[in-house]
Amino acid sequence: MGRKLLYGFAAAGLFYLSVLYRSQALLAVCGAAVLFPLFFVCVLYSIKGKLEIELLFSSYPMEQTGDYLVGIRVKNLSKIYLSRLQAKVQVQNMANGKKQWIKIAGDIPANTETDLIGTMQDLDFGLWKAECQWIHLFDWMNLLYVKKHVTEQKQVMIFPNAYEINMKIGMRTRLFWSDAEQYHPQLGGDDPSEILKLREYQKGDRPNRIHWKLSVKNDSLIVAEMSMPMSCNVVCFLDVDLSSMKKKISRCYWEVVNTLSLELLNQKCAHYLVWQDTMEEELCRIAIRKVEDLTDFWDRISRACLKRGADPEAYTRNFCGETYASWIVWNGELELSCNGTHIQKIHPEQAREKMMELELLL
């Protein structure tokens, strides 16, 4: 506003001097000073129609600071340099309605793609929605601006941080046989209900694996290799009461859960995440076989209210007859146990260091 007033006073002063001294040159300068803003506005409208805006929102925090990157990507398809663009981006937690916003600004060169990025702190895990509330395009004198409306919204699942961990999964756990509806795409097994692949007979193959119908059609012996069920051989029990947990401890708790689950996925080990919800009479669980399953878990758990009671004994009562090879218990006191053996107590201030030092054998 101050710039506009100063510019207006300067134009009025030029006009006064041009009248006082009857100077056509000063009158011409005064006329140019009045027309320049109108010209700049026309140029801004021309640029406005050739800008493409994309929202940017990172799911994981930066490792060094723990901040989340939020901003916009601006693609300037015009041949005109935009000296300044200012925008306000708001993010909202879809579960609790919590909002944060940030202002970002920068110049946008012609025929280029530019990222205008800011940072946000302390975003709770869960589903968040980002939207650009307004965008202002300023002229070269930074006096006037033109608004550009962006209707795009972006939903992002914010994940807790994940640390490095030394986890080893033994063959007993990896090859533990149990019934499942999904089968491993590469490993062979002994499940007669699903065929992994067909191949020609080799010396040493068992006769009961010969596919006799296909062998007759091909005039050669064809052997069927059976699949191995992709069962969840590891169960992770989230035995915690979140209602009495402080925010710093809660953040550490979910970071450890995310670290364990991602490492199990990296090692191709399907697993169950099990918890007790205050609204449910029975234990809740979700099978994690791929990254999309973990995303579904975070979306579901962000709306849940956990309480104590998730342990192997409760699992046996609720899922009678189901077997697993190894189990992990991660409780509200931040104590980690594996197969009934206490492993380590993790303090929130030392979570990264403790996880890197940890040796977990399943």
Side-chain angles (χ1 to χ4, degrees), residues 81-94:
Y81 170 78
L82 181 60
S83 62
R84 185 163 176 257
L85 181 147
Q86 189 177 42
K88 180 180 179 182
V89 179
Q90 177 181 279
V91 298
Q92 180 180 8
N93 190 306
M94 301 297 288

Side-chain angles (χ1 to χ4, degrees), residues 321-340:
E322 292 201 18
T323 58
Y324 49 86
S326 298
W327 74 93
I328 299 171
V329 177
W330 175 231
N331 64 27
E333 289 76 34
L334 302 186
E335 295 174 339
L336 189 67
S337 302
C338 180
N339 295 330

Side-chain angles (χ1 to χ4, degrees), residues 54-57 128-131 152-156:
E54 178 186 354
L55 285 168
L56 301 176
F57 195 179
W128 287 74
K129 178 182 69 174
E131 59 182 346
E152 177 196 7
Q153 295 183 349
K154 187 171 185 177
Q155 290 188 350
V156 172

